[in-house]
Amino acid sequence: MKKLIFSAAVLFLGLQNSKACAWYDPDFEYFGLFTQEMIHNKTYEPFLLTYSNAFYGDTSKRNAPDENIESWQKYFKNTLSYDETDAFVKVIDIKHLNNLKKGVLTHDLFKKLGKDFYKNYKEGIDYLIEAKYLEPNMRFGEETIFKNNDYDHPITLKSASSLNYAKTISALTSLYKAAKNPEIKLRYAYQLVRFNHYTKNYKQAISAFNKYVTPLKKDTPIYWYALDQKAGAERGLGKLDDANWNFFQVFMHSRNKKESAYSSMFLANEKNFETILKKAKTPEEQNMAYFLLAYNGFSNPVPIMEKMYANNVDSEILKVLTARAINELERSYLPIYVNCDKDCDKKENRLPLFSSYNYYGDENEAGKDFVKDLAQFVEKTKAKSTDEFWQISDAYVKFLNKDYNSSLTVLNQIKTSDKEYLAEIEKMKMLNDIVSQPKITAEFEEKMMQKYSSFFNDEKTRAKYDWEVYPTTKEFIFDILANRYFLQGEDGKSFLMNNKLSDLQYNPNEKLVKSVDAFYKKANKTSFEKFIAKNFDDVGNPDAFFNVIYGDKAMRNADFALAKSFYEKANAFKGIPRLSYDWDDASDKSITKPVAYAVGEYNGFNNISSLIFGHNVWESFGSKPEESMKAENTSAFSFIKPKMNKLELADVLLQLQKIGAGKDEKAIKANQLIGNLLYNTSVLGYYREVFVMDIDNSNGPKFQFWNVDNPPFHYYYKNYSFKSFVDADNFDLEINYYQKALNLSKDREQKARILFQMASAEQGKYYQWEMKNDETVDYNDPKYDEKEKNRQAFWDKTKNEKYRTYFAELKKNYSDTKTAKDLQTSCLYYGYYSSK
């Protein structure tokens, strides 16, 4: 095992939480399918694995009941329920207790208990009055105001030093001596130790413990509370070994003080642990010390688990450490999103996949060693322990390692009546069943819906405290199914496992859209396919939605007749479905609602400006259309209206196409206008949003160049909107129309303008080539500067030799034109090129 490294900076949180920060939640990055909380001793839940918080779970929702409240319940001879006792001790204001003492019942609970209740439990209630009087002052620090709706009024919290020391000690000592009930006497002793500790009278606190607590010999919850205060005083005096040992005892024996006791220990190096271990006498004490060592380490915990196994195979704290180790393993196997590097096509693509990232070494082999070590340890322990936890753990590790048959065999042999275990077994049998399928067939889909219908209809399927925050088991299954459909070539179903139909707008790739559309139109869907098809409900009219996408694709391909035929079937299209986000002050919650497009606003189909036929004055996507674009003279084409919908636009292009087949001036202009529209709606144009299902041209993944030979989806279509998957522009289409206009034109200024527009389109072709040939040089390469310089030289050479055709002609034959001269100052690309 690697030598452990410790830092005093992480004493409070523990080393295992060093990754946590306010804006980052590592526990959201993986599917936690293994239920860590299966451990029977719920007091150890805070020490299960988390990287998001100081301790695991919600401190306000602990499963283990408060030992102090249970102690009071016992004192009151169980005449009060747990909740009533909790209110009595923690919530009910001191004024009600004083009234009860006087025989005046001012609280509903006391009215229920009656006046005799005080007589029967006088000592205890008198103690609670004194404790509630002291409580706001039992602390270090400055004065603060504590507000809580459980109390009648805000409470002012002050430091213990604000009380009169001599009077408080005298009063508590007198009450201690007067108390007859040993439990109440111990509580006064606890207050004496506590008060001295918080007033920083550390020696007196230790003396008070020895004088008042020790003689009572009461192994009760309040005894450990008092020992916790003594340990705090020892730490205040710098007696770290003594303090650590006593905090360790509190950690072992107290149910509610485990977190604070652990946080109070000074565990800066291995020596601190060795000191505790030397004092440990019993096997369980030794196991607790080993646990703390493993809990604070980055190293493979299995060697420490082996020592705990030798001490006591049925140790509950060993189960905690095992649950943590399995959860650690999950983080490498079950990320919520699987990324793919350049070699992903060479790897297995069936999820789940073991990640090269692991916490127990920089190299992947170290992580695999941990997997092997843990699997062997769990299997060995399963054979010796009678606790079904080990069988479940063994089955789960086998599941992660894709040994599904062995996992099911283990699960089927488990005999238990434990409800938590049974729930985990049922879930794991389902996981093995679904994940092991070589192919998801129609027959298996029907089986899933019949056998696991409750699961698919349940929104709360992850064994975590907050169902709404963490990824669910259902989402994991959806990822698995999405992956299997993807590998089976059923792209439409794969897409719909992680997305709604409206998400196609973000990257309307034709091949995927056709697959989704085919699934939408499929007759006789299985019950599971009908379940998936619910995701069709968010676009209004799916047929119109699909036809707009198809029409847009045809427009990008310059097939205007086909586009028109699709647009004619999209009359029910009400706009690209988008949501607006707002805050409702009344409910103090965020609200979402569909965007309602204003009259005259572009909505993905209507209200397209005729400036779409113009040319850009300067490249500024954030400027207003009239600032970035200049209109062409379209007076000869009366059918071009100031505002058009896509159907009208397709019809205009068909008319221009027909006119462009001629040889007159109108033909020149018609071809130039078509070229302008195709360029303006390409990734480089001001109206780049029009034929890619977007509502504006603001920057995003779909408006970036990417390698079309390396699609960004290799496992499924999850996070679909995060990566670009739009079919690449064909810049030759506009170049061809510009070429027709250039061949027909006799006007040198017009020719110069057309050549520049052709050069702009050719620039797009270069960007596409550059992306395909982009081999980034590693910044850590010792020859980085040399290689980067050579790469840039190669790009520049290719650009000038193959993608500056029209710039070269413009410079050679039209440099004397006003258009070319204006471009030298307004276009940086051309200005730089022409100056060489």
Side-chain angles (χ1 to χ4, degrees):
M1 185 179 71
K2 295 184 179 180
K3 185 174 178 64
L4 299 172
I5 300 173
F6 299 94
S7 169
V10 290
L11 292 177
F12 178 72
L13 298 182
L15 279 169
Q16 53 108 9
N17 296 309
S18 62
K19 295 184 181 184
C21 51
W23 48 267
Y24 173 63
D25 189 352
D27 287 355
F28 189 79
E29 291 186 337
Y30 77 103
F31 291 102
L33 306 183
F34 184 81
T35 307
Q36 289 192 83
E37 302 96 315
M38 274 193 302
I39 57 169
H40 288 140
N41 189 335
K42 302 306 180 184
T43 65
Y44 292 130
E45 275 191 11
F47 299 92
L48 295 171
L49 191 64
T50 175
Y51 285 102
S52 299
N53 304 293
F55 295 102
Y56 182 87
D58 186 345
T59 55
S60 67
K61 300 176 182 177
R62 292 288 183 228
N63 287 322
D66 188 320
E67 60 195 339
N68 183 42
I69 301 304
E70 288 185 329
S71 178
W72 277 111
Q73 240 188 317
K74 183 179 179 181
Y75 172 79
F76 290 129
K77 298 179 181 178
N78 294 313
T79 54
L80 282 75
S81 68
Y82 178 89
D83 289 339
E84 288 173 334
T85 309
D86 186 69
F88 201 127
V89 175
K90 294 181 180 180
V91 179
I92 296 176
D93 194 274
I94 190 173
K95 68 180 182 183
H96 295 298
L97 271 72
N98 278 318
N99 289 339
L100 175 65
K101 186 173 182 178
K102 298 173 185 176
V104 181
L105 307 179
T106 55
H107 193 278
D108 289 341
L109 178 60
F110 298 160
K111 293 176 183 177
K112 172 185 173 183
L113 297 172
K115 295 180 179 180
D116 288 341
F117 190 78
Y118 174 76
K119 296 178 183 178
N120 295 332
Y121 303 104
K122 179 179 180 299
E123 271 197 346
I125 296 173
D126 284 346
Y127 168 79
L128 282 173
I129 291 172
E130 181 66 17
K132 285 177 182 283
Y133 166 74
L134 293 173
E135 188 60 31
N137 302 84
M138 288 297 101
R139 58 195 293 274
F140 299 114
E142 301 299 322
E143 178 177 317
T144 59
I145 304 298
F146 176 71
K147 294 182 179 180
N148 188 314
N149 293 332
D150 292 332
Y151 291 93
D152 293 342
H153 54 79
I155 296 176
T156 300
L157 302 179
K158 298 181 180 180
S159 68
S161 59
S162 64
L163 294 174
N164 184 291
Y165 178 80
K167 287 184 178 180
T168 305
I169 291 294
S170 176
L172 287 172
T173 304
S174 296
L175 291 167
Y176 169 86
K177 292 177 179 179
K180 300 292 190 294
N181 185 290
E183 176 70 14
I184 302 303
K185 184 181 283 289
L186 180 60
R187 288 183 179 277
Y188 282 119
Y190 159 67
Q191 294 291 356
L192 280 163
V193 180
R194 187 187 190 201
F195 179 63
N196 276 301
H197 175 208
Y198 283 134
T199 54
K200 299 184 181 181
N201 291 288
Y202 299 132
K203 291 183 179 180
Q204 290 88 332
I206 297 170
S207 176
F209 183 90
N210 295 333
K211 183 177 181 179
Y212 299 116
V213 176
T214 302
L216 295 176
K217 298 180 181 179
K218 293 287 293 183
D219 184 6
T220 68
I222 206 66
Y223 172 84
W224 303 113
Y225 283 33
L227 184 62
D228 182 62
Q229 295 295 322
K230 178 191 177 186
E234 289 170 333
R235 178 164 180 170
L237 292 173
K239 297 180 177 181
L240 298 182
D241 287 346
D242 291 341
N244 276 354
W245 177 250
N246 284 323
F247 280 132
F248 178 71
Q249 291 297 312
V250 175
F251 178 82
M252 277 195 63
H253 295 98
S254 175
R255 186 191 303 163
N256 298 108
K257 290 289 184 180
K258 290 190 186 299
E259 291 148 284
S260 65
Y262 168 76
S263 299
S264 299
M265 289 187 212
F266 186 83
L267 304 173
N269 52 54
E270 283 186 273
K271 182 181 178 182
N272 299 130
F273 289 97
E274 291 170 357
T275 301
I276 293 175
L277 194 57
K278 286 178 182 177
K279 289 186 177 182
K281 299 293 187 248
T282 68
E284 197 58 18
E285 281 183 335
Q286 292 171 351
N287 274 0
M288 280 291 181
Y290 284 134
F291 171 78
L292 290 178
L293 183 62
Y295 184 75
N296 282 270
F298 279 119
S299 299
N300 183 342
V302 175
I304 296 178
M305 292 162 64
E306 292 280 4
K307 295 181 179 181
M308 296 171 71
Y309 169 93
N311 271 338
N312 179 9
V313 70
D314 291 316
S315 171
E316 193 75 8
I317 201 69
L318 177 57
K319 289 165 56 180
V320 175
L321 200 54
T322 303
R324 288 169 54 85
I326 291 174
N327 184 266
E328 188 74 86
L329 194 61
E330 285 183 299
R331 294 166 189 261
S332 290
Y333 277 93
L334 307 177
I336 62 168
Y337 182 70
V338 181
N339 290 308
C340 182
D341 57 28
K342 62 182 180 180
D343 297 321
C344 64
D345 290 330
K346 301 175 185 177
K347 298 177 180 178
E348 181 188 2
N349 286 351
R350 282 176 66 88
L351 302 180
L353 301 172
F354 179 72
S355 169
S356 60
Y357 179 73
N358 62 82
Y359 294 95
Y360 295 127
D362 296 329
E363 300 297 329
N364 192 29
E365 291 306 314
K368 289 182 177 178
D369 287 345
F370 168 59
V371 174
K372 180 181 176 182
D373 291 347
L374 180 61
Q376 292 175 345
F377 177 81
V378 170
E379 191 162 16
K380 178 179 72 172
T381 311
K382 177 194 73 173
K384 189 172 181 181
S385 175
T386 58
D387 194 321
E388 295 88 356
F389 170 87
W390 296 104
Q391 295 170 276
I392 295 171
S393 299
D394 181 46
Y396 187 74
V397 173
K398 285 179 167 59
F399 163 77
L400 288 181
N401 286 317
K402 298 190 175 184
D403 190 356
Y404 304 119
N405 289 333
S406 296
S407 180
L408 278 171
T409 298
V410 173
L411 292 170
N412 288 329
Q413 291 173 348
I414 299 174
K415 306 297 181 184
T416 183
S417 58
D418 185 284
K419 291 183 180 180
E420 288 184 304
Y421 287 173
L422 288 171
E424 187 75 0
I425 291 166
E426 181 183 2
K427 180 177 69 175
M428 287 176 59
K429 284 181 177 179
M430 176 194 64
L431 290 171
N432 275 289
D433 188 19
I434 296 175
V435 178
S436 66
Q437 291 302 309
K439 184 176 181 179
I440 307 300
T441 62
E443 292 74 19
F444 185 72
E445 288 175 348
E446 289 295 346
K447 174 188 172 182
M448 280 195 303
M449 291 306 289
Q450 292 174 15
K451 192 172 182 180
Y452 310 124
S453 59
S454 60
F455 170 81
F456 283 107
N457 292 321
D458 184 11
E459 295 298 328
K460 302 179 178 181
T461 51
R462 176 175 178 178
K464 278 287 185 181
Y465 284 97
D466 190 340
W467 306 110
E468 297 179 351
V469 173
Y470 292 106
T472 65
T473 303
K474 181 195 288 188
E475 289 170 331
F476 170 76
I477 293 297
F478 280 15
D479 276 10
I480 293 295
L481 295 173
N483 169 251
R484 302 302 190 260
Y485 290 134
F486 183 90
L487 299 177
Q488 291 169 200
E490 298 181 73
D491 292 73
K493 289 167 72 171
S494 177
F495 172 83
L496 290 167
M497 292 308 305
N498 298 124
N499 307 277
K500 294 183 177 181
L501 180 58
S502 62
D503 291 328
L504 280 175
Q505 66 182 283
Y506 297 107
N507 289 305
N509 173 266
E510 184 179 35
K511 177 178 175 292
L512 176 59
V513 172
K514 285 183 177 179
S515 182
V516 178
D517 189 16
F519 175 66
Y520 167 68
K521 292 183 171 67
K522 178 184 176 182
N524 303 317
K525 292 182 177 70
T526 67
S527 56
F528 185 72
E529 288 176 330
K530 291 177 182 177
F531 176 77
I532 300 173
K534 293 177 182 179
N535 288 336
F536 285 122
D537 298 339
D538 72 327
V539 298
N541 186 302
D543 290 302
F545 183 78
F546 285 122
N547 280 305
V548 170
I549 294 177
Y550 294 144
D552 288 349
K553 177 60 178 176
M555 291 289 267
R556 296 180 73 207
N557 288 338
D559 191 340
F560 308 127
L562 181 62
K564 182 179 179 181
S565 69
F566 284 122
Y567 289 147
E568 284 174 336
K569 293 179 284 188
N571 60 314
F573 187 75
K574 301 300 182 183
I576 295 174
R578 290 285 171 93
L579 295 174
S580 66
Y581 302 90
D582 204 351
W583 188 263
D584 181 33
D585 291 330
S587 62
D588 198 32
K589 293 181 180 179
S590 60
I591 54 174
T592 58
K593 56 183 179 181
V595 168
Y597 293 95
V599 175
E601 183 182 8
Y602 172 67
N603 69 350
F605 191 81
N606 298 309
N607 301 308
I608 301 170
S609 170
S610 60
L611 277 174
I612 200 170
F613 289 107
H615 62 269
N616 61 298
V617 179
W618 66 325
E619 188 173 292
S620 175
F621 295 105
S623 300
K624 295 179 180 179
E626 58 272 16
E627 294 173 347
S628 288
M629 302 297 295
K630 182 177 180 180
E632 298 283 355
N633 183 2
T634 60
S635 59
F637 311 103
S638 58
F639 49 83
I640 298 179
K641 298 187 291 187
K643 288 282 187 75
M644 297 161 282
N645 62 34
K646 287 185 174 178
L647 176 59
E648 293 169 329
L649 188 60
D651 187 63
V652 165
L653 287 161
L654 284 171
Q655 294 184 61
L656 289 174
Q657 199 174 46
K658 185 176 181 180
I659 294 170
K663 298 185 181 301
D664 57 6
E665 286 294 326
K666 288 187 67 174
I668 298 170
K669 196 65 178 177
N671 283 305
Q672 186 180 11
L673 291 175
I674 296 173
N676 282 2
L677 177 134
L678 291 172
Y679 177 80
N680 289 336
T681 55
S682 75
V683 67
L684 294 176
Y686 183 82
Y687 287 98
R688 58 189 182 179
E689 77 275 13
V690 173
F691 298 135
V692 291
M693 289 293 283
D694 219 323
I695 56 176
D696 58 43
N697 62 23
S698 55
N699 199 24
K702 69 173 65 172
F703 298 138
Q704 298 169 9
F705 287 94
W706 59 286
N707 188 353
V708 293
D709 295 332
N710 183 27
F713 298 99
H714 301 271
Y715 302 108
Y716 45 22
Y717 292 103
K718 191 173 182 178
N719 287 358
Y720 184 71
S721 62
F722 290 10
K723 293 186 177 181
S724 180
F725 196 32
V726 180
D727 298 308
D729 291 300
N730 184 353
F731 288 100
D732 285 329
L733 294 174
E734 51 259 46
I735 289 175
N736 290 339
Y737 278 102
Y738 285 138
Q739 189 68 59
K740 291 178 184 179
L742 185 69
N743 293 342
L744 292 172
S745 179
K746 301 294 189 293
D747 185 286
R748 285 173 56 75
E749 293 291 341
Q750 188 178 44
K751 280 177 172 287
R753 166 55 62 184
I754 293 171
L755 279 169
F756 174 71
Q757 291 169 303
M758 295 172 78
S760 298
E762 192 177 36
Q763 181 75 10
K765 294 179 66 175
Y766 168 72
Y767 289 143
Q768 291 175 339
W769 173 88
E770 185 182 273
M771 184 57 68
K772 285 184 180 181
N773 293 275
D774 183 17
E775 294 186 7
T776 305
V777 180
D778 187 346
Y779 190 75
N780 295 319
D781 192 316
K783 296 185 177 181
Y784 172 82
D785 291 335
E786 179 185 344
K787 290 182 178 180
E788 184 64 22
K789 183 179 179 181
N790 292 338
R791 184 181 74 148
Q792 192 62 52
F794 172 64
W795 281 6
D796 291 341
K797 184 174 183 292
T798 304
K799 183 191 302 180
N800 291 323
E801 289 180 354
K802 296 183 178 181
Y803 296 99
R804 286 291 184 259
T805 310
Y806 306 109
F807 269 161
E809 186 175 350
L810 183 60
K811 178 183 178 181
K812 179 180 179 181
N813 299 319
Y814 298 92
S815 59
D816 60 331
T817 62
K818 182 178 183 300
T819 300
K821 291 177 181 178
D822 290 344
L823 288 170
Q824 286 185 12
T825 57
S826 63
C827 176
L828 294 177
Y829 284 129
Y830 181 65
Y832 173 75
Y833 180 83
S834 61
S835 65
K836 292 193 297 181

